[in-house]
Amino acid sequence: MSASYAAVGWNKQKKIYDWLIACLCFIYLLLFISVTLIINEQATFETLLIRSTSTLAVLLLHIILAIGPLCRLNKKFLPLLYNRRHLGVTMFTFALVHGSFSLFQFHALSNTNPIISLFTSNTNFGSLAAFPFQVLGLFALIIFFLMAITSHDFWLHNLSPKVWKTLHMFVYLAYILVVMHVMLGVIQYENDPVFVIMIFAGAITLVILHLLAGSKERKLDNMKFALQREGFVYVCPVAEIEDSRAKIFYIDKERIAVYRHNNKLYAIHNVCKHQGGPLGEGKILDGCITCPWHGYQYLPHNGQSPPPFKEKVSTYDVKIIDGKVWLNPAPFAEGTERPGAEIK
Amino acid sequence: MDNKEFYIGWMPAAPASFAKHIRKVILILTALIITAGILLAVQQKKFSTASFEFGQLTEITGVYQQFPVPSIKVMTGRDAYGHFSYITVPLVGYGKFGAESTIVELEKEKNTSLDKKLVTFRGTLLYSDGKTLLQIDNTDKPLMQVSETTENILPMVKEIGTVQLTGEVLDPKCYFGVMKPGQGKPHRDCAVRCIAGGMSPVFYVRNEKGEANYYLILDANGKKMNEQLKDIVAEPISLQARAVQYDDWVVLYVDSPDKIKRTGGFSWFKIKDGDTYCGSPHIVNGSN
């Protein structure tokens, strides 16, 4: 969390994270290239470059897409999420090397402009076997490019979190394009079924992880709140909310986090203004609700980030009657101070 | 999880239980990366032994011939019967171009036709599987020497008959040297560009024993049919053609594009290429 923009707000954990990314990428490239040269010594530099960077980018993409649901299922994966955008930019860089070198290798030094050639050399869009798979890779690369250049918080704030999030959800379209790029491309040439098996295993793993994470969310969203009184809804006994922690409730299509702090209960909108992180899964630190994803902070009584930060979320009224927590799902304007409910 | 433990990225260190968990995850990721790196490298199809002598120029002397494709006929010695034996070295241009435009420029420069003349070309050799090609590039000043008179060397011609073949249309420059792989789906767009650029297409057929045969393809009148072939490169096709051997190359004369059929389909789980394409040459109507 920072009040001004820097290229990268380095800290110890980010440095460790990036070193690990660099080491893993180095290990992969070293292994892929050296093993290929040992058992397939006729390999050329161009092929090694194209294949090592593409396979690494696909592997990184799977890791990136797995981090989100893994964090929903187990909070101990959160350190992987914190700096995920660096992993994304790394993946894009390898995909870019693969894409630009392939464009040169397969389309340059010809009678047509390489970009035009990419779209016109193969126009068998009606045939799966002959489908122009390179175009699929190009569209995926464009999505990764847009995501990489907008990955900085500067763009998050200027595009608005909603637009930014929507743009970054296109990663799933890009993933489908990548899978089709591989399945309709190099796998049509290779003999060994291991490539198909690996792609399917990766896709199935991601689908299962997302379904499991989704089902956890659905349980929360399917909670029924039958008791209502003067606009308030009974949500849970006070004892169920731990100190400095929250419980999340889904009422009227909104997720609301009810926090316990200094013997009082406060309710705020559950969605962090930064990247939509679940504020109710955070913790109160130094008197501030702290988002578990990137550590953005909000004051419990008014939903405002402490100065000089300017983020604000909606607040809600909450009251306690006979040890039971009652919540009014009508939101107050973002940053509106509410008194909270005292626990007696 | 301990309620007191809470991870925030901007703090100097992760709580102990998070750090312990992430250490395990990193070990798993390292194992995954190592396994994937080795598995993907090991399971790749073997590359051919084709060579492209990049940056190395070689001089070749022989008789230039325009037909069936721009090539030099190089004498290699005498056979068992005392006849001269030759190999045909097809010429290719720089990048994804055929040699014809370079030849036209050289003929303009020398103000003479090169056809059937003894020439010495300087260029870059490509070779694989018993076939040799030469890349000629104007920047290398490729024509070293040309004779005044034409050579009267007739090719050894053998009419094979009408054949039915299944195989793949290749661009010879990439297949015989420049790229690995220089065939199949990943290379398709490049092959399209090479053939659109005037390179003489080669038809590649492999029999059940894995032995490869290479053919040149022309239309019934002996003209190039690159335009018709460029859209069906790099995929299994079947064609019927009249086959005629000229020295060490067989030319397939295809009557019409209707005699060429796509035979391929999805091949995600093929074990051997032979299972999906490349059968033995089948003589429909032979003359020998």
Side-chain angles (χ1 to χ4, degrees):
Chain A
M1 195 171 180
S2 169
S4 61
Y5 298 113
V8 180
W10 289 109
N11 61 37
K12 192 183 167 193
Q13 290 197 54
K14 274 190 188 175
K15 286 178 185 169
I16 293 171
Y17 195 106
D18 283 8
W19 268 110
L20 281 168
I21 294 174
C23 288
L24 287 176
C25 292
F26 179 75
I27 290 170
Y28 179 83
L29 293 175
L30 186 72
L31 269 174
F32 184 90
I33 292 169
S34 53
V35 172
T36 301
L37 283 173
I38 289 166
I39 62 154
N40 218 337
E41 60 185 17
Q42 297 294 334
T44 58
F45 167 77
E46 301 86 354
T47 304
L48 283 172
L49 186 69
I50 288 172
R51 292 190 172 185
S52 60
T53 50
S54 60
T55 48
L56 178 56
V58 172
L59 267 172
L60 292 178
L61 180 60
H62 279 87
I63 295 169
I64 289 164
L65 290 175
I67 289 173
L70 283 172
C71 289
R72 309 297 300 136
L73 294 166
N74 182 349
K75 289 185 177 57
K76 288 190 176 168
F77 284 99
L78 279 169
L80 297 181
L81 182 83
Y82 177 64
N83 214 19
R84 184 171 53 171
R85 62 183 91 181
H86 284 210
L87 199 53
V89 172
T90 306
M91 183 274 295
F92 163 70
T93 307
F94 285 114
L96 182 66
V97 172
H98 164 77
S100 45
F101 205 82
S102 298
L103 187 69
F104 180 82
Q105 175 91 333
F106 299 126
H107 298 274
L109 307 176
S110 75
N111 60 357
T112 307
N113 174 290
I115 299 289
I116 295 170
S117 167
L118 182 65
F119 288 98
T120 57
S121 291
N122 181 2
T123 52
N124 289 294
F125 290 97
S127 158
L128 270 178
F131 198 88
F133 71 100
Q134 290 187 354
V135 176
L136 302 173
L138 175 71
F139 285 127
L141 191 60
I142 291 170
I143 293 173
F144 293 143
F145 170 72
L146 292 174
M147 290 177 64
I149 59 162
T150 60
S151 63
H152 198 276
D153 274 355
F154 172 83
W155 287 104
L156 177 67
H157 288 273
N158 284 286
L159 289 172
S160 85
K162 194 177 174 186
V163 171
W164 188 89
K165 193 78 186 169
T166 306
L167 172 68
H168 283 242
M169 289 302 278
F170 274 88
V171 70
Y172 291 102
L173 173 63
Y175 174 70
I176 293 168
L177 291 171
V178 166
V179 169
M180 297 312 289
H181 173 70
V182 176
M183 296 303 277
L184 298 176
V186 71
I187 283 179
Q188 294 287 302
Y189 171 75
E190 290 293 342
N191 287 340
D192 201 292
V194 74
F195 301 102
V196 183
I197 292 166
M198 283 175 85
I199 282 283
F200 271 107
I204 288 167
T205 305
L206 288 179
V207 168
I208 289 172
L209 283 175
H210 280 79
L211 286 175
L212 287 173
S215 101
K216 193 179 172 187
E217 302 278 308
R218 262 200 307 281
K219 274 183 197 162
L220 175 74
D221 292 348
N222 288 339
M223 282 168 70
K224 301 286 179 214
F225 304 99
L227 286 175
Q228 294 195 12
R229 192 187 293 171
E230 296 164 357
F232 281 79
V233 176
Y234 167 62
V235 287
C236 70
V238 173
E240 280 190 12
I241 304 176
E242 293 178 59
D243 191 38
S244 298
R245 295 282 190 178
K247 275 198 83 171
I248 303 165
F249 305 100
Y250 182 71
I251 309 169
D252 291 348
K253 297 183 178 171
E254 286 294 349
R255 287 185 187 170
I256 302 165
V258 178
Y259 262 96
R260 181 171 183 156
H261 174 55
N262 283 349
N263 222 29
K264 280 180 115 177
L265 294 181
Y266 300 96
I268 65 164
H269 194 223
N270 187 54
V271 181
C272 178
K273 284 292 179 181
H274 177 225
Q275 283 192 22
L279 290 176
E281 292 177 25
K283 188 181 178 184
I284 292 184
L285 291 173
D286 302 326
C288 291
I289 293 167
T290 307
C291 179
W293 282 11
H294 299 93
Y296 271 57
Q297 292 189 308
Y298 303 87
L299 293 163
H301 61 278
N302 60 14
Q304 296 177 17
S305 291
F309 305 106
K310 292 173 182 167
E311 285 76 14
K312 292 175 191 171
V313 292
S314 302
T315 50
Y316 299 83
D317 266 348
V318 61
K319 63 183 180 182
I320 302 167
I321 302 170
D322 300 331
K324 291 177 177 175
V325 182
W326 292 76
L327 176 64
N328 188 333
F332 286 89
E334 290 174 350
T336 305
E337 187 160 335
R338 303 309 304 153
E342 195 160 354
I343 302 167
K344 290 172 185 167
Chain B
M1 188 171 67
D2 183 351
N3 183 34
K4 286 177 187 166
E5 288 203 326
F6 183 65
Y7 172 80
I8 313 174
W10 43 256
M11 282 193 157
S17 69
F18 282 77
K20 191 179 168 189
H21 184 255
I22 289 302
R23 276 197 290 273
K24 283 183 198 162
V25 172
I26 289 165
L27 280 178
I28 292 168
L29 278 179
T30 308
L32 177 78
I33 287 279
I34 291 171
T35 308
I38 293 173
L39 202 59
L40 289 168
V42 167
Q43 299 305 116
Q44 292 172 95
K45 204 189 251 188
K46 291 283 178 290
F47 296 114
S48 74
T49 54
S51 284
F52 175 49
E53 294 186 344
F54 181 72
Q56 187 182 329
L57 296 175
T58 302
E59 290 176 18
I60 292 185
T61 301
V63 176
Y64 173 75
Q65 54 186 20
Q66 188 63 40
F67 180 85
V69 294
S71 51
I72 322 176
K73 199 165 164 178
V74 181
M75 194 169 69
T76 54
R78 290 175 187 270
D79 64 17
Y81 304 102
H83 302 127
F84 286 116
S85 59
Y86 298 92
I87 63 159
T88 308
V89 179
L91 300 175
V92 293
Y94 176 72
K96 296 178 175 62
F97 292 95
E100 275 163 343
S101 59
T102 308
I103 296 291
V104 168
E105 281 188 40
L106 292 171
E107 288 180 332
K108 262 190 202 164
E109 191 185 306
K110 299 287 178 188
N111 199 24
T112 183
S113 165
L114 299 182
D115 200 23
K116 297 193 172 46
K117 287 188 177 157
L118 190 67
V119 296
T120 300
F121 272 125
R122 176 167 57 189
T124 311
L125 282 175
L126 306 95
Y127 44 87
S128 175
D129 217 1
K131 299 291 183 193
T132 303
L133 289 83
L134 185 73
Q135 171 188 281
I136 53 169
D137 176 8
N138 272 333
T139 58
D140 296 330
K141 301 201 178 315
L143 186 58
M144 306 290 290
Q145 207 175 313
V146 56
S147 65
E148 296 284 324
T149 54
T150 55
E151 302 287 323
N152 191 22
I153 304 172
L154 294 173
M156 206 162 70
V157 181
K158 184 180 174 188
E159 185 80 29
I160 296 171
T162 304
V163 293
Q164 182 77 41
L165 295 166
T166 304
E168 176 183 340
V169 177
L170 306 165
D171 78 89
K173 184 176 179 182
C174 293
Y175 180 81
F176 289 113
V178 175
M179 288 198 192
K180 295 178 183 184
Q183 64 176 131
K185 189 75 186 283
H187 181 259
R188 183 183 183 113
D189 285 16
C190 181
V192 171
R193 289 270 60 86
C194 287
I195 288 171
M199 221 166 284
S200 306
V202 164
F203 194 53
Y204 160 67
V205 176
R206 191 171 52 241
N207 64 21
E208 287 83 354
K209 293 177 192 165
E211 297 159 342
N213 287 304
Y214 305 100
Y215 304 84
L216 298 167
I217 311 179
L218 297 173
D219 70 11
N221 300 315
K223 303 286 182 199
K224 292 170 87 167
M225 51 186 308
N226 290 30
E227 265 309 301
Q228 294 96 314
L229 292 174
K230 72 178 172 59
D231 289 331
I232 49 159
V233 297
E235 61 178 298
I237 60 161
S238 170
L239 60 77
Q240 195 177 72
R242 189 182 127 232
V244 180
Q245 183 165 0
Y246 296 88
D247 296 320
D248 53 338
W249 278 92
V250 175
V251 174
L252 300 174
Y253 292 95
V254 181
D255 284 349
S256 84
D258 301 342
K259 298 283 174 71
I260 303 172
K261 306 269 182 242
R262 284 190 160 112
T263 59
F266 267 141
S267 50
W268 286 347
F269 289 105
K270 65 180 182 284
I271 303 302
K272 291 184 294 182
D273 287 332
D275 293 345
T276 48
Y277 65 95
C278 299
S280 297
H282 169 60
I283 297 176
V284 177
N285 178 18
S287 63
N288 56 334

